Amino acid sequence: SGTYPPATYRISGDLTVADGDTAYLQAGTEFLFDGGVNFNIYGTLKAIGTETDSIIFDNYGDDRWRGFTLDNATDETIFKYVRISGAEKDDGGGMYLSSSNPTLTHVTIENNTTEGNGGGMRLRYSNPILTHVTIENNTANFKGGGMDLQYSNPTLTHVTIANNTANSGGGGMRLYDSNPTLTNVTIANN
């Protein structure tokens, strides 16, 4: 919890924002993760960058980190002017949302992979709001290269889902018992 000033942080162990806690990441912050490291959010994360000074989450070296897991995170969780890349895990390569409804604005989710579903993002019982988001060059070994939705009803506005790959279906997006609202959304070259 608390406020983290702009800096480059090397993360060598799992990070957790606990239920009831709030962490603030300021514009220009870079979190570079060692391989196998998780970022778990059960409380509130406010990662708010600017157009000229975004917040970056990526690998430190060649080994991939394990991306974000939001599990019952508060609806006050915000990702704004953020890039999430270089992550790999069993489901939801870049982000796995379970019963979580964050707001993502001007976010890029790219170059993430999963052995399961949702190379860029996997949503279960989640209804996030995505505006001006790019989900590209992600890979799922199973379904939903860009996004995998299960029992989820997100709102996507000005979103691009492009150049993603899934080996078993839904190269760009897979929907299972889900009803997203799509406005000015491009799904191409998946």
Side-chain angles (χ1 to χ4, degrees):
S1 65
T3 300
Y4 294 82
T8 299
Y9 298 92
R10 181 176 177 188
I11 312 300
S12 58
D14 289 351
L15 294 178
T16 299
V17 178
D19 184 21
D21 286 346
T22 301
Y24 298 90
L25 307 183
Q26 296 180 340
T29 302
E30 291 186 37
F31 274 48
L32 304 178
F33 296 87
D34 287 337
V37 174
N38 296 285
F39 198 148
N40 302 308
I41 303 168
Y42 304 101
T44 303
L45 176 68
K46 294 188 181 280
I48 302 174
T50 65
E51 186 174 2
T52 58
D53 215 3
S54 61
I55 297 173
I56 295 171
F57 300 96
D58 204 343
N59 292 323
Y60 176 77
D62 293 333
D63 293 329
R64 292 179 166 269
W65 68 297
R66 296 193 41 84
F68 284 96
T69 298
L70 283 74
D71 190 355
N72 288 304
T74 70
D75 292 357
E76 288 80 39
T77 296
I78 298 171
F79 292 84
K80 185 173 184 180
Y81 289 105
V82 167
R83 181 179 54 121
I84 300 165
S85 56
E88 178 177 3
K89 66 177 167 226
D90 296 339
D91 273 319
M95 296 184 89
Y96 179 89
L97 278 61
S98 176
S99 301
S100 298
N101 309 311
T103 299
L104 285 71
T105 307
H106 296 285
V107 172
T108 299
I109 301 171
E110 64 182 1
N111 301 318
N112 301 290
T113 62
T114 182
E115 288 300 314
N117 297 316
M121 296 180 78
R122 181 162 194 217
L123 282 60
R124 292 195 78 235
Y125 302 100
S126 296
N127 307 310
I129 298 170
L130 284 69
T131 307
H132 295 287
V133 172
T134 300
I135 301 170
E136 64 183 359
N137 299 316
N138 300 287
T139 303
N141 193 42
F142 198 50
K143 296 180 180 178
M147 292 182 77
D148 182 72
L149 282 61
Q150 192 172 42
Y151 312 109
S152 297
N153 305 312
T155 300
L156 284 67
T157 306
H158 298 289
V159 172
T160 299
I161 301 170
N163 303 311
N164 301 287
T165 303
N167 291 328
S168 186
M173 179 187 288
R174 179 187 84 125
L175 285 74
Y176 181 88
D177 279 349
S178 297
N179 295 296
T181 300
L182 310 176
T183 305
N184 294 319
V185 172
T186 300
I187 302 174
N189 300 319
N190 298 288

